Amino acid sequence: MVWLLNDVYDAEHRAYFMSEKKMELTPLKIRSHGASSVMHYDERYTPYIEMTGLLPFVQLVSRSTPNLNAAAVTALIDRWRPETHSFHLRTGEMTVTLQDVSMITALPIEGKPLCMSTDSEGWRHQMEALIGMSPQEPEVEDGGKKDRVPAGATFTWIAANFAHCPEDADDEVIQRYARVYMWYVISRTIFADGTGKNAPWMWLKALTVLDNKFSWGSAALAYLYRQLDDACRRTTKDGGVGGCMLLLSVWSWERLPVGRPKSSKWNTWDDHDNPVRQPTWAYKWDLVSEVAREVNLLYKQYTNEMDSLTPEQVRWFQS
C-alpha cells in the first residue's frame, strides 16, 4: 500500500500544531468578498459581460452575498489535505468538484483553459492601452529606493476611478468600464489573494479579449485548491485564506451541519427575461443569519462538531 500523505505537510499543518503541539490557533481571516457597493453595476455592461460567460456569476455577487462564517470555514480547512485536494473527515473524504462550481456559481466549466504568461513587464503601458489609465508610480525621494509595487491596482484606486460609468459614454467607454468592473469583481470574489486589497494585473489581462470562451470555473476551482493548500499551513494570527469563499461556504452548508446558518429570506430576483441570468444554487442562501457569538469560541465549537460527525449527518450529494 502506498502512503499518500506527506510528512512534510504534516509538520506545517494547522491540525498538527493543534493536536501534537497543543497550540490554540485562531480562525483564519477570509480575504474573499462580494462586489462592493461602491462599484455600481450598469445594465449597459451586460452584453460585454455576457460575452465572457461571467454574467450569471457577476449578477449573483453584484446584488448580494451571504455573511460568511470564518470560524466554520477554518474548522473545515483544518481538515484539508494538499496531497489529495480533499477534506479528510471522520465520515470519509469530500471535496469541491467542477459540478459544484457550475451549480453554485454558474461559472463556465467548458472552454479554453485560462493559461497565459504571468510576466508583468510593461504592465502599466498595457493597462493604459486597455482601460485608459494606470496607478501612479510611488514617489521616491533623492537617494531613496523604489518600493516594489504589485502589478495591478488597489480596490480603492479602481473604485475611485471607475465606480460610475458616465451617462453620455460611447460604446468604447462602456466596454472599458465593463472590463474594469469584471476585473474588480473576479479579483475580490474568485481570485482573492492573501491580502484582499489588490486586483492583480493578470486578471485584467485575461479580459483583453472578451469572447475568449475561457473555462472560468476550472480556473476558480484550481485557484481555490491552491489557496486551501496554503491556508491549512498558516498558523499566525493574521493568517488568511483567499479564493472563492462563497463557493466553499455554500458547498459546506449544503453538505455539513457544522456552522450551517439559517436562511432568513430570499430577495426578489430579476432575471431580466434572460435565461442566462437565472439564479444559481447559491440563491438558496441569499440572506442568512449572522454569527453573533465570539468567533474564537465558535471555532472551538465547530472543531468539536467536525470531530463528532456521523455518516447520517453528511449530505454527499446536493438534493
Side-chain angles (χ1 to χ4, degrees):
M1 178 179 176
V2 179
W3 184 250
L4 293 177
L5 304 187
N6 192 322
D7 290 339
V8 175
Y9 285 133
D10 272 337
E12 300 174 348
H13 205 286
R14 288 176 59 88
Y16 173 80
F17 280 92
M18 289 188 291
S19 62
E20 301 299 325
K21 301 267 186 173
K22 307 302 179 185
M23 287 180 60
E24 289 195 12
L25 300 182
T26 55
L28 296 163
K29 292 178 172 57
I30 293 180
R31 307 300 189 190
S32 180
H33 306 281
S36 172
S37 59
V38 301
M39 288 291 287
H40 174 69
Y41 183 84
D42 194 311
E43 280 298 330
R44 291 175 293 174
Y45 301 163
T46 300
Y48 301 109
I49 297 177
E50 191 166 3
M51 290 170 64
T52 66
L54 292 169
L55 184 58
F57 178 78
V58 168
Q59 169 152 322
L60 173 70
V61 298
S62 293
R63 56 188 300 281
S64 67
T65 49
N67 297 303
L68 303 183
N69 188 334
V73 166
T74 305
L76 185 61
I77 292 173
D78 289 343
R79 285 147 184 82
W80 178 260
R81 292 303 307 196
E83 306 94 333
T84 59
H85 287 151
S86 60
F87 300 103
H88 287 212
L89 308 173
R90 285 192 64 209
T91 54
E93 292 183 51
M94 302 179 74
T95 196
V96 185
T97 67
L98 275 177
Q99 183 185 43
D100 297 314
V101 174
S102 181
M103 294 182 68
I104 294 171
T105 69
L107 288 168
I109 60 175
E110 296 181 346
K112 295 188 291 187
L114 187 56
C115 297
M116 58 187 176
S117 171
T118 57
D119 182 13
S120 59
E121 184 177 353
W123 67 271
R124 290 182 188 277
H125 295 297
Q126 295 179 63
M127 185 182 292
E128 288 168 10
L130 201 57
I131 64 173
M133 64 176 71
S134 66
Q136 289 185 340
E137 291 193 53
E139 296 182 2
V140 181
E141 297 182 2
D142 293 340
K145 291 185 177 179
K146 273 189 178 182
D147 292 331
R148 187 175 179 182
V149 179
T154 63
F155 293 128
T156 53
W157 180 88
I158 296 173
N161 291 282
F162 293 94
H164 295 276
C165 184
E167 290 294 331
D168 58 350
D170 58 22
D171 288 344
E172 182 179 349
V173 172
I174 294 171
Q175 185 178 120
R176 181 186 305 163
Y177 272 75
R179 181 177 279 113
V180 174
Y181 187 86
M182 285 185 282
W183 177 36
Y184 181 91
V185 169
I186 65 175
S187 296
R188 283 175 62 91
T189 58
I190 303 176
F191 304 118
D193 62 13
T195 66
K197 298 178 180 179
N198 299 301
W201 152 248
M202 62 180 174
W203 304 125
L204 177 60
K205 183 179 177 181
L207 295 166
T208 302
V209 179
L210 297 181
D211 61 350
N212 251 330
K213 308 300 181 188
F214 283 133
S215 176
W216 290 98
S218 302
L221 185 61
Y223 192 85
L224 176 63
Y225 282 0
R226 179 66 177 270
Q227 287 291 317
L228 295 175
D229 289 349
D230 293 338
C232 72
R233 291 176 283 161
R234 290 187 179 132
T235 56
T236 58
K237 286 187 177 181
D238 60 348
V241 56
C244 192
M245 288 296 103
L246 174 64
L247 166 62
L248 180 63
S249 295
V250 172
W251 176 89
S252 175
W253 296 339
E254 282 291 320
R255 286 166 170 76
L256 304 172
V258 180
R260 180 186 291 158
K262 292 182 179 179
S263 181
S264 54
K265 66 174 183 177
W266 295 357
N267 280 335
T268 302
W269 185 282
D270 186 2
D271 61 14
H272 298 267
D273 295 321
N274 184 347
V276 174
R277 299 178 71 170
Q278 290 179 354
T280 71
W281 200 275
Y283 182 50
K284 286 181 60 180
W285 305 94
D286 195 33
L287 290 174
V288 299
S289 55
E290 290 193 47
V291 179
R293 291 175 55 188
E294 206 277 322
V295 67
N296 288 338
L297 290 177
L298 279 176
Y299 177 45
K300 292 180 180 179
Q301 174 187 324
Y302 295 147
T303 298
N304 292 333
E305 290 178 10
M306 284 284 187
D307 288 340
S308 58
L309 278 176
T310 63
E312 293 76 22
Q313 292 177 293
V314 177
R315 184 184 300 160
W316 293 95
F317 301 99
Q318 288 171 330
S319 59

